């Protein structure tokens, strides 16, 4: 029998291969695999469905991720996928695989984080599964939401000359992870040393307790702006721009100088001899929203502190990064590859297999 | 900090503890945790949601479970939960955690089984997640379905003197597992010996490629019978009768001599010096449906080869097993305990955490 190694395919290659065999037949299936969430016709509205699996040792490290924060993050990463469809999450089911290394109190901590996120975002926990794991902790959450039929936003709707907009700022979660990994390494080589996390509150919170951009969906509705396309930033800006361009069959010009990066991210990146732009482009888990709007909506978002215009759609061109010096570069994603040895924290994904 | 060991709680104890903190606030949540699936008001009908996580080394053993069958079984175990609400599964999302020990071809085999189940049961695969696992294979499926509002059946509706009915026959999946475990042990001690599976087709199929009872829901509808309560048999008959009685706040009399057991199960059990009744009561994964009907519906099901009357509901009594010799015994479940070392195959669960 033939044997094709997964590392030769990568995650998105695997998804493409597996998806090929899937044929949907249910007339209520509006959109299956290929966006942040599936879209099901529920009659008066659309139901949105998404799921995420997080594995210990791959997506999180319990030596520095408190269980409560971990639970919170698992939940919001799903909510973020629903917001990326311009929807509202309403229900979730939670599966947990755990070994007897965990006590009841530990699991209650994890659950407290999930419940806290459920309360903050107005989502009900309606079911789940708890099973025994022979090794690490596994958390799988599936979230459901709804969206008015005329409000749903796909990855595929970007049109020529639309403006590329991003919420918040980028690279923080990635830099937070670098700090945590550094302090863990110091602690492991010199036990007893207290971790030096001072001054890094913002980026640590971006990594350990990120929020999903519920507010963005609400603000856009208030401003009367319906994005032409949208995706959440879980794998890094570059990867998401490429997904959006690929789904919409367009190119884009992304301007390096426009990418919003918090000064504390710049300063931490400098400490690590990292280019802040690279952190923003390839560091994952920021859970901001990337979207496009028609030029006619520009005035509605102009000057709004939640949003930054970072470029525009160019039909017939490739996705391009325009550097500060004006030179143009083909936009590439370091990408997420589940099957190569890599740093933790780059491995979030919201891809629908 | 206090440390309560999970093995002192058991799965259902853990579920109770975790559920205590969950407060649902969404007005569309009709039923959250505590049945085979959650029930959400979708306007004209109810949406049903359920999820199951299966872990390698706990729920399945790849040394004898072909990947294709495993995929099929993961899918139908979710569908079974939807049928147990008298509903129809329509959509599913599939999360898979896997290591590079698996090739693309292996994952395609697993997926082929999931797709096959999706086609047979008319369910669309609309999304998922693929992630890297540091150890074994993990499969999590969440399934969605629908049911007319006046057709939904809960665990909690059993009334005094209702008749206790089961579909198909029981204990087969458990005995199939015993055969597979025996032949694995033989093979491990004497490599090269071919497994002796002859004459065990039925019970092997019950274990390796079980079906969910879609037909039962359809037959009941055709006969004009709406069960007063229903649950699927994934943990063994005893455990499910106890759940049903507990949810309905009633007792039951279950007659040992009525429990349907296939002759090949009896014969295999005898070979293993096992009591076939114990296999049916405590062996899991049969995926039959256990339900109660009003006495007035008796004539509609009487003589139907799909169904066996195994007892009746008794308000104010405890769940009781009436043995062949007429003696009454308190019904006890060996139960499923995720946190004790135990045989594989007992550990299925459809409990909603």
């Amino acid at each position: 029998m033939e044997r094709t190694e997964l590392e030769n395919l990568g995650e998105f290659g695997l998804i493409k291969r597996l998806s090929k065999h899937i044929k949907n037949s249910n007339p209520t299936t509006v959109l299956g695999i290929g966006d942040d969430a599936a879209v099901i016709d529920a009659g008066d509205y659309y139901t949105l469905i998404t799921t995420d699996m997080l594995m210990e040792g791959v997506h999180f490290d319990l030596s520095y991720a408190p269980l409560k924060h971990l639970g919170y993050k698992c939940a919001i990463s799903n909510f973020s996928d629903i917001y990326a469809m311009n929807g509202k999450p309403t229900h979730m089911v939670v599966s947990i695989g755990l070994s007897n290394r965990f006590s009841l109190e530990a699991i209650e901590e994890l659950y407290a984080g999930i419940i806290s996120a459920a309360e903050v975002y107005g989502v009900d926990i309606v079911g789940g599964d708890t099973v025994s794991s022979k090794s690490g902790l596994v958390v799988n959450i599936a979230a459901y939401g709804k969206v008015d039929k005329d409000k749903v936003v796909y990855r595929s709707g970007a049109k020529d000359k639309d403006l590329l907009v991003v919420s918040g700022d980028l690279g923080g979660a990635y830099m937070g992870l670098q700090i945590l990994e550094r302090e863990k390494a110091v602690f492991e080589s010199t036990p007893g040393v207290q971790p030096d996390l001072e001054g890094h509150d913002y980026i640590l919170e971006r990594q350990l307790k990120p929020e999903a951009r519920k507010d963005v969906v609400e603000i856009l509705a208030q401003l009367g702006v319906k994005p032409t396309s949208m995706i959440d930033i879980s794998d890094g800006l570059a990867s998401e721009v490429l997904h959006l361009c690929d789904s919409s069959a367009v190119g884009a010009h992304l301007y390096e100088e426009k990418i919003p990066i918090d000064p504390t991210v710049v300063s931490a990146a400098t400490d690590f001899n990292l280019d802040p732009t690279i952190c923003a482009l390839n560091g994952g888990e920021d859970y901001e929203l990337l979207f496009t709007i028609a030029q006619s909506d520009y005035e509605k978002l102009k000057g709004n502190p939640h949003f930054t215009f970072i470029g525009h759609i160019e039909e017939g061109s490739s996705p391009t990064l325009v550097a500060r010096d004006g030179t143009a570069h083909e936009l590439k994603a370091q990408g997420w590859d589940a099957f190569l040895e890599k740093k933790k924290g780059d491995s979030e994904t919201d891809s629908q297999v």
Side-chain angles (χ1 to χ4, degrees), chain A:
Chain A
M1 188 169 169
E2 212 182 333
R3 183 181 165 99
T4 309
E5 300 301 332
L6 294 175
E7 55 260 48
N8 299 338
L9 272 174
E11 191 206 9
F12 298 119
L14 176 61
I15 291 173
K16 269 199 184 144
R17 276 290 290 260
L18 297 177
S19 307
K20 240 183 22 188
H21 307 293
I22 294 173
K23 302 202 180 2
N24 289 332
S25 59
N26 204 308
T28 59
T29 304
V30 178
L31 183 75
I33 292 160
D35 214 306
D36 290 282
V39 181
I40 312 295
D41 192 334
D44 298 335
Y45 57 90
Y46 288 147
T47 298
L48 303 168
I49 308 178
T50 186
T51 191
D52 268 314
M53 182 177 272
L54 299 183
M55 309 281 291
E56 183 177 356
V58 176
H59 300 90
F60 56 88
D61 182 333
L62 292 175
S63 64
Y64 51 68
L67 280 163
K68 192 169 175 176
H69 285 3
L70 174 64
Y72 195 91
K73 185 168 172 174
C74 290
I76 71 95
S77 75
N78 276 280
F79 304 163
S80 181
D81 287 327
I82 302 287
Y83 294 127
M85 308 299 292
N86 209 27
K88 178 178 156 28
T90 54
H91 299 88
M92 65 199 282
V93 291
V94 180
S95 300
I96 298 179
L98 67 162
S99 67
N100 55 15
R101 152 169 91 87
F102 293 94
S103 66
L104 169 65
E105 289 75 16
I107 298 308
E108 285 190 317
E109 272 295 292
L110 176 70
Y111 241 77
I114 299 172
I115 291 171
S116 171
E119 286 172 357
V120 167
Y121 290 85
V123 176
D124 283 358
I125 301 169
V126 292
D129 199 6
T130 46
V131 303
S132 182
S133 164
K134 290 280 179 189
S135 50
L137 180 64
V138 187
V139 183
N140 192 94
I141 291 181
Y144 318 88
K146 63 195 295 184
V147 61
D148 289 342
K149 287 184 174 182
D150 60 346
K151 296 281 171 21
V152 67
V153 176
Y154 299 104
R155 292 181 181 177
S156 58
K159 298 275 179 296
D160 194 32
K161 308 302 176 210
D162 281 355
L163 302 173
L164 203 53
V165 190
V166 69
S167 66
D169 55 71
L170 302 174
Y174 179 78
M175 283 318 304
L177 183 67
Q178 303 316 306
I179 300 282
L180 290 165
E181 293 271 358
R182 181 185 69 189
E183 295 306 314
K184 183 187 173 186
V186 168
F187 182 82
E188 282 176 343
S189 62
T190 321
V193 169
Q194 286 300 305
D196 175 18
L197 304 173
E198 186 136 341
H200 297 304
D201 294 3
Y202 177 67
I203 59 178
L204 291 172
E205 184 158 342
R206 292 291 280 175
Q207 168 59 223
L208 294 174
K209 191 172 173 287
E211 301 288 349
R213 296 305 304 257
K214 181 186 196 211
D215 59 332
V216 164
V217 172
E218 292 164 356
I219 292 166
L220 290 174
Q222 281 158 18
L223 296 174
V225 174
K226 183 189 168 193
T228 53
S229 70
M230 188 148 59
I231 188 170
D232 84 325
I233 303 183
S234 49
D235 292 345
L237 178 62
S239 172
E240 314 304 356
V241 170
L242 290 174
H243 280 310
L244 201 147
C245 286
D246 186 46
S247 296
S248 298
V250 294
H253 283 187
L254 172 63
Y255 295 89
E256 182 186 4
E257 64 182 355
K258 305 284 191 189
I259 299 172
I261 303 178
D262 190 81
T264 61
V265 173
V266 176
S267 133
T270 309
D271 282 356
F272 278 81
N273 284 319
L274 292 170
D275 179 343
T277 301
I278 301 294
C279 297
L281 285 173
N282 295 324
E285 305 190 292
D286 283 319
Y287 299 110
E288 296 295 342
L289 292 172
L290 171 72
F291 56 96
T292 53
I293 60 166
Q295 293 213 2
S296 52
D297 280 333
Y298 171 70
E299 291 294 333
K300 295 180 189 163
L301 294 192
K302 189 185 151 190
N304 190 310
H306 292 291
F307 305 114
T308 309
F309 295 94
I310 57 172
H312 63 270
I313 298 298
E314 273 287 342
E315 213 173 339
S317 93
S318 306
T320 302
L321 178 71
V322 182
R324 285 178 209 276
D325 63 7
T327 55
H329 306 264
E330 187 189 339
L331 187 66
K332 284 188 181 162
Q334 172 195 308
W336 178 89
D337 199 318
F339 311 107
L340 291 172
E341 192 53 42
K342 59 193 299 293
K343 282 212 177 61
K344 281 180 287 293
D346 300 349
S347 43
E348 280 295 319
T349 175
D350 54 10
S351 310
Q352 295 284 312
V353 178

